[in-house]
Amino acid sequence: MENKPQMREWLNDFGLSHPLVIGGPCSAETEEQVLKIAHELKDTDVTVLRAGIWKPRTRPGMFEGVGAIGLKWLQKAKAETGLLTATEVANAVHVKLALEHDVDILWIGARSTVSPFIMQDIADALEGTDKIVLVKNPVNPDLALWLGGVERLYTANIKKLGLIHRGFSSYEKSKYRNNPEWQIAVEAQSKFPDLPMICDPSHIAGKRDLIFDICQTALDLNFDGLMVESHWDPDNAWSDAAQQVTPTVLVQIMKDLKIRKESNEEEAYNTALNTLRAQIDIADQTILDTLGKRMKVAEDIGTLKKSKNVAVLQNKRWNEILGKMILEGQDRNLSEEFILKIFKAIHQESINHQEEVVNK
Ligand code: PEP
Ligand code: MN
């Protein structure tokens, strides 16, 4: 994106003294539900009311959204509360209807960003709009696909753009519904610093008690906003019940979050430092997760060796690994001394795990 104009301007125009907060239910369910949540959110930090009108469900046979009628409820909510409105669009018909009903922010969901064909259709349908368009990351951890989606919109002369990090799906079980691959979001920010970056902790978490920590990490990483699913009766929501919070909880979350400001040089320094520290924390977490996984594999090898009655320690293989790691370490500016120390320690821990299995 050569020569990109000030894409951040739309956010600056809001003139907020805190991160942008988009709140509201996963899905619009009834007119009453939409109006009720809008009124409950109106005097909070929430600037934009979100509600899904067309719901992309992974499996058929579930609630797939109320359809275009819900756009009328959003219009009414906006008229009654002054909140801006946001909804997901996934094809040209959605775009046409959302524009006709004057929705302020259109977002593109993870299951759409993943497809360049869909992204191109949406970009063509939105061509030249002055609406704000936010692009969620694709379901799979692929930065190029995410940025490619933004580039298609930008090429269609859509200038008020932003990104939403909603986590990435993985086959492996984890405590999250969608893993927050923070390094991908940080990389996206560094590639396109003019694009506001919003975190959707709800779809990352999948359950409400993880939401606060995810929000705090996002703010520590200098994210510009949060999109938090909220419902006045979360447990009975028609979609994503486990991850939605009540407006009261959302207000409390906003109150408890440490929000960093940069009104002077000292604060700018602290923000920069905290952003880097948050990246270190994430890297450390990744190292620990990887070490945990490595030991699990070592135990599996232990089980296999035990069944064949093979010795745990096999020096030839170990020396090969070490030589390879020293070379790979050089590419990453890691000294031989460091590589030897760290891999000896890892190897010893692996042997301990294997021996425990073998001697059991
Ligand atoms: C949503 O925001 O309700 C939604 C379906 O999100 P995602 O595209 O991130 O799954
Ligand atoms: Mn949802």
Side-chain angles (χ1 to χ4, degrees), residues 26 55 203 229 240 243:
C26 177
K55 299 304 298 176
H203 292 88
E229 284 189 341
D240 288 352
Q243 70 194 34

Side-chain angles (χ1 to χ4, degrees), residues 305-316:
K305 284 181 179 169
K306 186 179 182 180
S307 71
K308 282 269 170 212
N309 237 337
V310 176
V312 165
L313 194 60
Q314 279 160 336
N315 264 323
K316 184 166 166 279

